[in-house]
Each structure stands twice: as structure tokens, then as C-alpha cells.
Amino acid sequence: MGTVVSTTQQTPNAKSIVLDVPGWRGSTAGQHVDVRLTAPDGYSAVRAYSLASTGPGSRVELAVDLIDDGEVSPYLVEELRAGDQLEFRGPLGRWFVWKPEHTAPVQLIAGGSGVVPLLAMIRAHTAAGSSVPMRLLYSVRSPADRFFADELAAASGVDVTIVYTREVPDGWPTAPGRVTKELITSATTPATESPAVFVCGPTGFVEAVATALVELGHDPVAVKTERFGGS
């Protein structure tokens, strides 16, 4: 059980939530929690949300994108307030994780809210003062839809490339477009450098990106994916 400390609007339809969790044992970058909501009649719904936070301490941060017909996200985005309590279980997941002691170059690829666990990896990289090369390719609909926009813009030691699929900022050098195999070739760490690759986003996005990476010579075992519903 955690107590909400603050909520922050990340996009027009998404918020990040910081909770204080006494006794929290910390988490590894890339892990998630299961959040449970229980109605007065006893009906409960559970959804998994990636952690933006990482490492030790009693503060936990997650970010939630509103799903209009969802059972959990409308409450978390529209109703949750500081002082409320939230029931969750975790941290969970041991496969889609990055630790500062890993020495391979890191390529992060995100679609939309899929950037959340990858942000945790960036935070872990920064906190450790890691010299391991790390790059992020972030696909998002428009500037307003970026999660943690200011933090990513200021990220030190991480090469960030943003791709807008529907609307670009004024003066942006390229037109809106999806992540293509050609873009992956030019904007990510090549397979010859044997990077650890983490891909997170909607199912269709993740499948297309993972297929392109393997076609470009990346070892399928080195391409780790997390996905959620949608296209």
C-alpha cells in the first residue's frame, strides 16, 4: 500500500504518480507493479504499470495513460489525489531490466507511454554515472504527447532521437512519420556493436520494430520487448 504524494500531468491524457511506500525495498530499472482497485461491492480490477522510478528509497513513481473504457486508468488519471492510498504489488519482472553493471551498449526504443520503463533505465544510468553508451529512439504522436519531456531533453550521457508520427514542432527538420527500418538503421546502435536492446510500446509498434531489428542483424536474444494493447 502506498500513499500518493503528488500527481503531475505528463500529456493531455496521462499523469505520473509519486507514492510514498514505507518499507519499499527498491526496484530495478524496467520493472513494473500490479495496481489493484476495489469497488465498494467487492469487485476488483488489476492492471500492470511500469515504474519510472528505480533504485532504493521509499518513493515510487509510475505513469498512467488514460484508456477511455478502462477499469483502472480513468480513476488513476482523473480522480486520484495527494493523500489517497493505492494498493499495488511489486516490484515485478526480472527479464526486461537494465542494471548499471551491464557493460554492453544500450539501445532503447519506445512508442508512446512505452518510454516509462526506459526512463527508469536512463535514470539508473545517470545515477550510476555510467559510461556505457545509451541511446533512445522515442516515437510519439505530437510534442504534447511526450512523457517526461523536460527530463528527456536534459538527459546527460544519453543520445535521444524523437520521431513524431502526426504533428511536429515548428521548424522541425522532418515531416511526421512512423519509425521505419531505414530510420532504425540511421538512428540506432548497429548490430555490429552488439547492443542490449529494449523495446516498449503498443503491440503493433513493438512487433514491427523487433522484426526490423532482427532483419538488420541483431541477435533476437538481445532484443527484449514489453508491449501493451493497441496499435
Side-chain angles (χ1 to χ4, degrees):
M1 187 74 72
T3 301
V4 178
V5 175
S6 64
T7 64
T8 302
Q9 201 78 37
Q10 290 294 331
T11 78
N13 298 306
K15 284 184 177 179
S16 56
I17 303 165
V18 176
L19 303 109
D20 182 67
V21 186
W24 179 254
R25 66 180 185 271
S27 60
T28 302
Q31 290 188 302
H32 65 276
V33 295
D34 283 345
V35 175
R36 178 188 297 274
L37 297 184
T38 303
D41 64 2
Y43 175 78
S44 65
V46 179
R47 295 292 184 274
Y49 291 103
S50 296
L51 291 163
S53 53
T54 184
S58 63
R59 294 293 170 92
V60 172
E61 184 175 15
L62 50 136
V64 180
D65 205 1
L66 176 66
I67 305 299
D68 289 334
D69 58 352
E71 293 186 304
V72 175
S73 65
Y75 173 78
L76 298 181
V77 174
E78 299 175 340
E79 299 186 37
L80 198 68
R81 299 290 184 270
D84 291 344
Q85 290 195 313
L86 196 59
E87 181 184 359
F88 63 91
R89 183 173 65 94
L92 304 171
R94 296 182 179 180
W95 183 72
F96 192 82
V97 297
W98 181 80
K99 300 178 181 180
E101 57 263 34
H102 294 168
T103 58
V106 183
Q107 179 63 59
L108 311 173
I109 305 178
S113 61
V115 77
V116 176
L118 308 188
L119 174 70
M121 296 178 189
I122 292 172
R123 287 175 168 178
H125 183 274
T126 301
S130 175
S131 60
V132 169
M134 179 175 277
R135 302 179 75 176
L136 168 66
L137 176 60
Y138 184 19
S139 174
V140 65
R141 287 173 294 187
S142 73
D145 292 302
R146 292 174 299 168
F147 281 68
F148 301 97
D150 292 341
E151 184 172 354
L152 288 176
S156 177
V158 180
D159 181 355
V160 178
T161 300
I162 299 180
V163 179
Y164 296 103
T165 62
R166 296 185 184 177
E167 177 186 343
V168 299
D170 291 340
W172 196 251
T174 57
R178 294 184 179 275
V179 171
T180 62
K181 186 176 178 180
E182 291 72 25
L183 179 61
I184 293 173
T185 301
S186 64
T188 66
T189 306
T192 53
E193 296 184 24
S194 301
V197 185
F198 297 87
V199 186
C200 187
T203 297
F205 172 86
V206 171
E207 290 178 350
V209 168
T211 297
L213 288 165
V214 173
E215 290 175 351
L216 289 169
H218 289 269
D219 181 353
V221 176
V223 179
K224 298 184 177 181
T225 62
E226 285 280 348
R227 64 197 72 196
F228 46 85
S231 58

